[in-house]
Amino acid sequence: MDKRNLRYNILTVLVYIIGIIILVQLFNLQIVHGQEYREKSSTRLTRETKIEAARGNILDRNGNTIAGTVTQYSLEIYKSKIDKQTLNNTLLQVTKVLEANNDTYKDKFPITLEPLAFTMDTQEEINDWLKANKLEKDLTPEETINKFKEKYEIKNEDINEVRKIIALRYGIEKEGYSSMSAYIISNNISKASVAIFEEQSSKFPGVTTSTTPRRKYLRGNLASHILGYIGPINKEELDKNDGYSINDYIGKSGIEYLFEKYLKGENGKKQTDMTIEGATSAEYITKEAVEGDDVVLTIDANLQTVAETALKNNIEKIRTGGFAEQRNVNNGAVVALDVKTGEVLALASYPDFEPELFIDGISNQKWTEYTQEGKSALINRTMSAYAPGSIFKMASAIAGLETGAVTRTETINDTGVYPKGYKPRCWYYKSYGRGHGPLNVSGAIKNSCNYYFYELITRMGIDNLEKYARYFGLGEKTNIELPGETSGTLAGKTLYEKLGQTWYYGNSLSAVIGQAENNFTPLQIARYIAMLTNGGKKIDVTLVKDIINAEGQSVPKEEINLYVTEKLGIKKTEQEDLNINQDNLNAVLEGMKSVTTETGGTAYSVFKNFPIEVGGKTGSAEAGDNVNAWFVGFAPYEAPEIAVVVLVENGSHGYYAAEVAKEIIEAHFKLKENVTENNTALPYTEQQN
């Protein structure tokens, strides 16, 4: 026998042996133990469920957690082989346990008992809902409850019990459930309830508890307009995003929305064995969950707290007449920026909101409160556009100096009424019946002399002003890592050409002092002030310092930038460096210093005896019937580190807003204990035309 035949025979024998083993095993499974396994399979179900990943934290620049996660207990029910009466009784007992421990459960059935009424506002809405539920129109609340009672085969007579069963049955009907997919009865139950459901699981067929991570905003309202909020995913979001289910949460606004991809994490999987009646017999993890990435912000949580508190208190002080006049003031914004890096150190908008309230769906009452006309808490006012008024004059001065329309030492004599165009008057003439007299550029900034700037625009023309204002980023988005930023508008021929209108000389006289169509966001103004102090260098405003994944590694900055650019649809434009002369910048900055350090400066009484020198500028910008108050500043004067911008809608005088900036600068440089405040002097303010 040759070797080939030998190998063939050996292979044949092995095949026969393997076949015999398989047949024996099949006989063992189907004949010997068949009945046993059939009984087990008919009394046990196996399902695979997700393990929700913990959402990534949002931290400040010092590693303090602002938004984190806590463990919560959820209550779920899976479909099991029980009759409708048993299901109804189970659901009723569930509500009793939850209510006994002050726990809530999902209830979207739109009829209340006390009073017995629909929750919809109009009969049309009620009839639409009745039609959607295949009921005849114009039913009374009582008739409607009876229809659902009949539909769900509820035998109870107590209307309160009936209403509770209907609430859960209605939710199950609308969202659906199966032996593999649960209906979530409650997203957050107490440990006391958990103990009862786990210890008495046989009394609650199909009902199970699970632990899930829950978003927790650890500092309440702090940085709410930065963080945004999360909420239950809706159908539109579900259709647009892969890897989500109907019971998931998703970022709705702010950082939570923009960086959802990084914050979400990767869910794990859990296998659960349960009896045919729905009782759990065993659980084991088949795939571990991976928590989301941490987003590290550039803000300082402590400085953010100071900014928000100071702004709120300042608005209240103005409203109640703390500055000698009472004004209807409700809204404001603050931005503090690192002048070298463009990093946002604090960003506050008032009024603010409580992100926690949105997690499980905000109440109608709170939503109404947050969306009041004229003082909506959901508007981020740091990214909304406002007329700048006199704080625009530094850009006008730089344009005049750089184009040679005026020199640093040259004086222009303010006689009160400018003789050209529509003959506008300086604000000083309106108040005192005379002009400021001769002023150089620094003096014009200190005294906010309109006449000086009327002459400046006459000499240099609107095109030059527009060129330099645009270089400072005015009228253009900062491209900060937040959704909803507006670009504002820069007054000039470019805008009028887009509108199909003609630009006149009179428009230039208004534009040069921060009026006309000039409308900029506090964020843009902060970038502009930072550039004035850093040598005129372009900077990118940024709010995100780092993103750190579950392995502790940083996401490459290039990846983050590309992601943000695509997510926000950012279109960056290249712009030449204008190489602004430092001596020209110094002349303007010196004028800003005199605003806070010299008698007659519009913010002198606020910063008098301040331990470090601050450069600043006040502004009062007309906005319809209101006069918005601005203060912009930087510190220290000799080596600037921080730029601060404060806006108070209808705040009247920039002097008032300066107090907010002072508190922020104190906190940033830790000066509070060494500062002696002196706010006894009366405000010295300019009024615009």
Side-chain angles (χ1 to χ4, degrees), residues 149-339:
K149 178 181 177 182
E150 180 181 348
K151 177 181 181 179
Y152 296 144
E153 299 180 20
I154 300 172
K155 304 300 183 182
N156 304 61
E157 294 301 326
D158 186 319
I159 191 171
N160 287 289
E161 293 183 349
V162 171
R163 172 64 178 75
K164 292 172 184 178
I165 296 170
I166 289 176
L168 294 181
R169 288 292 300 272
Y170 179 76
I172 290 172
E173 179 186 357
K174 296 304 177 184
E175 294 187 22
Y177 77 148
S178 68
S179 61
M180 304 298 291
S181 178
Y183 170 72
I184 298 177
I185 297 173
S186 177
N187 282 310
N188 191 9
I189 64 174
S190 63
K191 291 182 179 179
S193 292
V194 171
I196 293 173
F197 290 121
E198 290 185 349
E199 292 170 3
Q200 303 177 28
S201 61
S202 60
K203 295 181 180 179
F204 302 97
V207 177
T208 183
T209 61
S210 64
T211 57
T212 57
R214 178 182 177 85
R215 181 51 112 203
K216 183 69 177 177
Y217 297 95
L218 302 176
R219 300 204 178 195
N221 294 25
L222 186 72
S224 57
H225 291 94
I226 299 174
L227 302 180
Y229 58 87
I230 68 169
I233 194 168
N234 59 39
K235 186 179 184 305
E236 182 181 356
E237 293 164 335
L238 192 61
D239 293 340
K240 288 182 179 179
N241 296 275
D242 295 330
Y244 289 80
S245 69
I246 191 64
N247 292 319
D248 281 338
Y249 294 85
I250 194 168
K252 301 282 187 175
S253 68
I255 292 294
E256 295 278 29
Y257 162 79
L258 186 60
F259 290 97
E260 172 69 20
K261 169 186 171 182
Y262 293 95
L263 290 165
K264 181 182 185 300
E266 184 179 345
N267 293 330
K269 293 180 181 179
K270 178 179 69 175
Q271 188 164 309
T272 303
D273 294 338
M274 56 192 303
T275 66
I276 199 71
E277 291 80 17
T280 300
S281 58
E283 289 184 343
Y284 43 95
I285 295 173
T286 58
K287 179 184 177 183
E288 294 285 353
V290 179
E291 64 184 34
D293 299 345
D294 291 344
V295 176
V296 183
L297 303 177
T298 60
I299 67 167
D300 180 317
N302 294 330
L303 193 66
Q304 180 74 21
T305 301
V306 171
E308 292 186 11
T309 303
L311 178 62
K312 178 181 178 181
N313 292 343
N314 187 257
I315 288 174
E316 182 64 21
K317 184 175 180 178
I318 296 172
R319 184 191 299 120
T320 56
F323 291 99
E325 60 172 324
Q326 290 183 320
R327 298 186 67 85
N328 182 24
V329 179
N330 299 297
N331 311 314
V334 169
V335 180
L337 211 63
D338 184 309
V339 303

Side-chain angles (χ1 to χ4, degrees), residues 337-340 472 526-537 539 582 585-586 589 592 615 633-643:
L337 211 63
D338 184 309
V339 303
K340 297 182 178 66
F472 283 114
R527 175 174 60 183
Y528 148 59
I529 300 302
M531 288 180 64
L532 285 174
T533 67
N534 72 7
K537 303 302 180 185
I539 56 172
Q582 185 62 54
L585 288 168
N586 290 343
L589 297 179
M592 294 180 71
F634 65 92
Y637 176 76
E638 292 297 337
E641 295 180 19
I642 184 174

Side-chain angles (χ1 to χ4, degrees), residues 334-354:
V334 169
V335 180
L337 211 63
D338 184 309
V339 303
K340 297 182 178 66
T341 65
E343 292 182 348
V344 176
L345 303 176
L347 184 148
S349 179
Y350 185 84
D352 54 17
F353 60 89
E354 191 173 352

Side-chain angles (χ1 to χ4, degrees), residues 70-104:
V70 294
T71 299
Q72 70 175 13
Y73 297 93
S74 296
L75 188 67
E76 307 167 339
I77 184 169
Y78 288 86
K79 190 172 185 178
S80 57
K81 292 185 177 181
I82 57 175
D83 58 43
K84 292 181 180 178
Q85 296 308 313
T86 303
L87 174 60
N88 290 340
N89 184 61
T90 298
L91 294 176
L92 179 60
Q93 296 309 312
V94 164
T95 65
K96 289 182 177 180
V97 172
L98 294 177
E99 290 172 354
N101 293 306
N102 296 317
D103 293 329
T104 60

Side-chain angles (χ1 to χ4, degrees), residues 398 401 408 442 532 581-592 637:
I398 291 296
L401 292 168
R408 294 185 293 275
S442 298
L532 285 174
N581 184 296
Q582 185 62 54
D583 289 335
N584 290 338
L585 288 168
N586 290 343
V588 170
L589 297 179
E590 182 158 340
M592 294 180 71
Y637 176 76

Side-chain angles (χ1 to χ4, degrees), residues 488-500:
T489 54
L490 175 62
K493 291 180 181 177
T494 302
L495 174 65
Y496 269 44
E497 286 173 1
K498 291 179 181 178
L499 298 174

